[in-house]
């Protein structure tokens, strides 16, 4: 199951990115899928104890995410998706993955502002164009895709 986890997680992240760009929300079921996938990986693993660092990392991400949700306008779906992604981030790649996430947030915000200047439409079916907000699934998804396929 561990072999297929990057493929399944990539599909989950891409789906979240597209759905949130369109609707402005990440469905609860989609946010739950990384946790289900991780449980399958854990149950089928020959050494479940090897996933301790990922569980600790996901716990830290959850606490920080809840603080961002409470004080900085971070969406609950994004907190759940980010925590689910953290379950798959090995400890030795955590700092690089976090760096990609932060860089993508800044670059993404700049790009959304530029796109909004040019193509803004309050009546658009895409929340990105209608409201000009950065869907947090984008930096989460890009960081995850880079983790699974580039690092």
């Amino acid at each position: 199951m561990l072999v297929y986890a990057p493929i399944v997680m990539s599909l989950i992240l891409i789906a979240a990115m597209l759905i949130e760009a369109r609707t402005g929300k990440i469905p609860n079921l989609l946010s739950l899928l990384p946790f289900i996938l991780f449980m399958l990986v854990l149950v089928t693993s020959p050494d479940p104890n090897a996933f301790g660092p990922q569980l600790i990392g996901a716990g830290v991400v959850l606490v920080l995410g809840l603080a961002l949700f409470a004080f900085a306008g971070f969406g609950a779906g994004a907190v759940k998706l980010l925590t689910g992604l953290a379950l798959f981030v090995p400890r030795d790649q955590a700092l690089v993955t976090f760096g990609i996430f932060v860089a993508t947030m800044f670059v993404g915000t700049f790009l959304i502002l530029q796109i909004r200047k040019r193509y803004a439409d309050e009546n658009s079916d895409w929340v990105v164009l209608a409201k000009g907000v950065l869907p947090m699934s984008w930096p989460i998804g890009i960081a995850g895709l880079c983790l699974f396929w580039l690092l």
Side-chain angles (χ1 to χ4, degrees):
M1 180 51 93
L2 186 59
V3 176
Y4 299 110
I7 296 168
V8 175
M9 273 302 297
S10 296
L11 293 173
I12 292 168
L13 293 171
I14 291 168
M17 292 166 71
L18 292 173
I19 291 170
E20 189 181 17
R22 178 80 182 214
T23 66
K25 296 183 181 203
I26 302 171
N28 283 330
L29 179 60
L30 197 58
S31 299
L32 182 64
L33 290 178
F35 298 97
I36 294 170
L37 179 62
F38 184 75
M39 293 301 289
L40 290 171
V41 168
L42 201 61
V43 168
T44 59
S45 172
D47 183 18
N49 295 328
F51 294 99
Q54 278 100 320
L55 287 169
I56 293 169
V60 169
V61 167
L62 178 62
V63 169
L64 294 174
L66 289 173
L68 288 171
F69 172 72
F71 301 112
F74 213 74
V79 171
K80 293 180 278 189
L81 187 66
L82 188 58
T83 303
L85 174 62
L87 291 169
F88 296 92
V89 178
R91 184 174 36 170
D92 61 332
Q93 295 176 337
L95 193 56
V96 173
T97 304
F98 178 71
I100 293 169
F101 169 72
V102 171
T104 307
M105 266 187 11
F106 286 114
V107 171
T109 301
F110 173 76
L111 289 175
I112 290 296
L113 291 174
Q114 298 308 311
I115 290 169
R116 178 101 170 111
K117 282 181 188 176
R118 176 168 254 160
Y119 301 106
D121 182 8
E122 300 298 328
N123 299 321
S124 176
D125 290 337
W126 292 83
V127 77
V128 174
L129 296 176
K131 295 184 180 177
V133 296
L134 174 67
M136 290 311 297
S137 62
W138 288 10
I140 295 168
I142 291 170
L145 293 171
C146 288
L147 167 72
F148 296 132
W149 304 109
L150 297 178
L151 300 180

